[in-house]
Amino acid sequence: AVILFAVLVATLAAPGPWPLISLFTLMSACALWEWLRLSLDANKRLLPVVVAVAVAALLLVLATQWLSEQPQYWSIYLKQLIMQWIMPLVSIIWVLGATAMVFQGQSEQRTQAHLLSICGVMAVLALWVALVVLFLKYDAWFLISLMALIWVADTAAYFSGKAFGKHKLAPRVSPGKTWEGAAGGIIAATAWLALSAIWPGSFADILLQNWSWWALLLIGVFLASVSIIGDLFESLLKRRAQVKDSSALLPGHGGVYDRIDALLPVAPIAMLFTRTWF
């Protein structure tokens, strides 16, 4: 975990945007490959690789265009399409579709494989665009403060669940998670959002430029809840695929998707709350 955090900090501190954008692209491609391995039938081993490589190539081309002084019209149009249509659509799918699937808890077989795979491509695309656009518009500290909301929620949920957990949150998907743990994570994440608002340029500070303090707290509750859904949704995919981890790319941590399962839904929705697409 220390090594992964050091890599993130190094790319954030590096001069120019390309080190971080390259890291985001690699992260997105790996997560998409893992998602497709979980959603598609086990005999389709080549398709996840091909799709992940193709998407990574597209993301690098988009980054080159968006960083150019004279981007081509198609790249500007595609950016507007993603920001104004795909981003809200992906957010709705996470909030409504993923939540419904999690609490339905059908973990015995891989149903709706192709639909889930398409959603995976859209989700990864939305994540990459959100992270890149937010980084270019604001700065590294903004992204750290946003990611910290997820880290705080996850850590607090773990210890709250261990200490007070009695009522199962989604037993057919993740038997270890409890309502008490979820409540602890949501409270801690909301407290972090309120605390970090005092620092200029933080995610919370940017939110307060568009929303009231009460709205800020409600956004904290909402984003922390969505992060839990992202975690549970990946657990559902892994149970359907009958695997423990999304892959073995990160020794001791499983796969990349295992590390960013909560960031996938949170980043696009957080971008919408900042009104960056206007």
Side-chain angles (χ1 to χ4, degrees):
V2 172
I3 294 173
L4 294 175
F5 184 73
V7 170
L8 175 62
V9 171
T11 55
L12 286 169
W18 271 111
L20 186 63
I21 290 176
S22 299
L23 177 64
F24 286 159
T25 303
L26 177 62
M27 175 188 75
S28 300
C30 292
L32 178 57
W33 170 67
E34 292 166 347
W35 180 310
L36 296 177
R37 290 174 71 241
L38 297 176
S39 61
L40 294 171
D41 294 334
N43 58 356
K44 296 181 179 179
R45 298 180 180 180
L46 183 59
L47 184 58
V49 177
V50 172
V51 173
V53 171
V55 169
L58 172 63
L59 297 181
L60 290 175
V61 171
L62 284 178
T64 303
Q65 286 291 318
W66 294 351
L67 293 174
S68 172
E69 293 183 358
Q70 294 182 331
Q72 296 181 10
Y73 174 76
W74 69 266
S75 67
I76 299 175
Y77 175 78
L78 185 56
K79 183 178 181 180
Q80 292 175 343
L81 177 66
I82 294 171
M83 299 276 281
Q84 297 178 5
W85 294 100
I86 294 181
M87 202 74 68
L89 177 60
V90 168
S91 300
I92 292 172
I93 291 173
W94 275 117
V95 173
L96 300 181
T99 302
M101 288 188 64
V102 164
F103 286 101
Q104 182 184 15
Q106 196 286 102
S107 59
E108 287 75 26
Q109 52 186 327
R110 305 190 201 194
T111 57
Q112 301 176 326
H114 292 91
L115 178 59
L116 286 175
S117 299
I118 294 173
C119 288
V121 174
M122 294 174 59
V124 168
L125 177 62
L127 169 69
W128 184 88
V129 170
L131 293 177
V132 170
V133 169
L134 289 172
F135 172 65
L136 294 177
K137 183 174 178 62
Y138 302 108
D139 56 16
W141 162 236
F142 177 93
L143 286 185
I144 288 292
S145 64
L146 171 60
M147 294 178 184
L149 182 146
I150 298 172
W151 301 334
V152 168
D154 190 42
T155 303
Y158 175 80
F159 286 107
S160 299
K162 286 290 185 181
F164 309 108
K166 294 181 179 180
H167 303 88
K168 300 297 182 182
L169 180 60
R172 287 186 290 181
V173 175
S174 184
K177 289 183 172 56
T178 62
W179 283 101
E180 291 81 4
I186 291 172
I187 292 171
T190 306
W192 161 255
L193 205 58
L195 177 64
S196 62
I198 65 176
W199 292 302
S202 68
F203 171 57
D205 178 56
I206 300 301
L207 285 178
L208 282 178
Q209 296 178 19
N210 298 285
W211 305 90
S212 67
W213 265 100
W214 284 110
L216 176 76
L217 298 179
L218 291 176
I219 290 172
V221 171
F222 183 71
L223 290 179
S225 302
V226 170
S227 75
I228 295 171
I229 292 298
D231 188 348
L232 289 172
F233 181 77
E234 194 215 0
S235 297
L236 176 64
L237 290 183
K238 290 191 292 186
R239 281 190 170 273
R240 288 156 57 108
Q242 298 181 353
V243 296
K244 182 178 182 293
D245 298 315
S246 59
S247 77
L249 288 178
L250 304 175
H253 282 268
V256 175
Y257 187 13
D258 291 316
R259 295 301 92 206
I260 65 168
D261 52 5
L263 186 61
L264 269 164
V266 167
I269 297 174
M271 196 192 77
L272 295 181
F273 278 125
T274 63
R275 299 181 177 177
T276 303
W277 75 96
F278 287 130

